[in-house]
Amino acid sequence: MCTSWSVTVLLLLRRVTPLCSLQYAYNEKLKDWYAAYNKPGAVVEYFKHNNPKEEWVVVLDSDMLLHKAFDPKDLPLERGWAYAGHYDYLIGTDNGLALRHVPEVAPR
């Protein structure tokens, strides 16, 4: 059955190249397991084996949601440097996301 969700996914996959990498949760140097090691390990692995022709590379987790459009030209980006979002959305409800999804609850 073809749902609107699956059509959206198929359209999206024509525009992006997904990456499946090895497991990097174990840090050999520190001798410990930590799931957060996966993303930096996968990014390093990607750039070891790929030289993308695109001007920008966006790294998203499968559980991430973009709640508004962004233009890389509006960000302080420099070639060869990473840029990450500020995760202050976890503090309070002043970023507009809560208001968008639960408008009946006043911001605190």
Side-chain angles (χ1 to χ4, degrees):
M1 180 173 164
C2 191
T3 66
S4 61
W5 179 84
S6 62
V7 169
T8 301
V9 169
L10 290 172
L11 289 173
L12 179 63
L13 290 177
R14 289 182 178 190
R15 295 179 177 252
V16 300
T17 304
L19 168 70
C20 293
S21 72
L22 301 171
Q23 172 69 264
Y24 290 98
Y26 182 72
N27 184 306
E28 182 65 38
K29 185 176 180 180
L30 299 175
K31 305 287 186 217
D32 72 336
W33 290 89
Y34 183 47
Y37 295 149
N38 270 323
K39 185 188 282 184
V43 170
V44 167
E45 184 71 17
Y46 173 80
F47 284 108
K48 274 185 189 176
H49 302 288
N50 295 278
N51 187 13
K53 63 182 184 287
E54 294 80 12
E55 187 175 0
W56 310 108
V57 175
V58 177
V59 179
L60 300 172
D61 285 334
S62 59
D63 63 348
M64 293 177 103
L65 172 69
L66 298 176
H67 68 95
K68 63 182 178 180
F70 69 93
D71 186 338
K73 294 178 178 107
D74 296 334
L75 302 171
L77 303 174
E78 293 182 44
R79 185 169 184 77
W81 286 89
Y83 180 82
H86 185 69
Y87 288 97
D88 63 349
Y89 68 87
L90 299 171
I91 302 169
T93 57
D94 62 353
N95 71 350
L97 190 58
L99 189 59
R100 177 178 175 182
H101 294 284
V102 283
E104 65 277 7
V105 177
R108 299 173 266 203

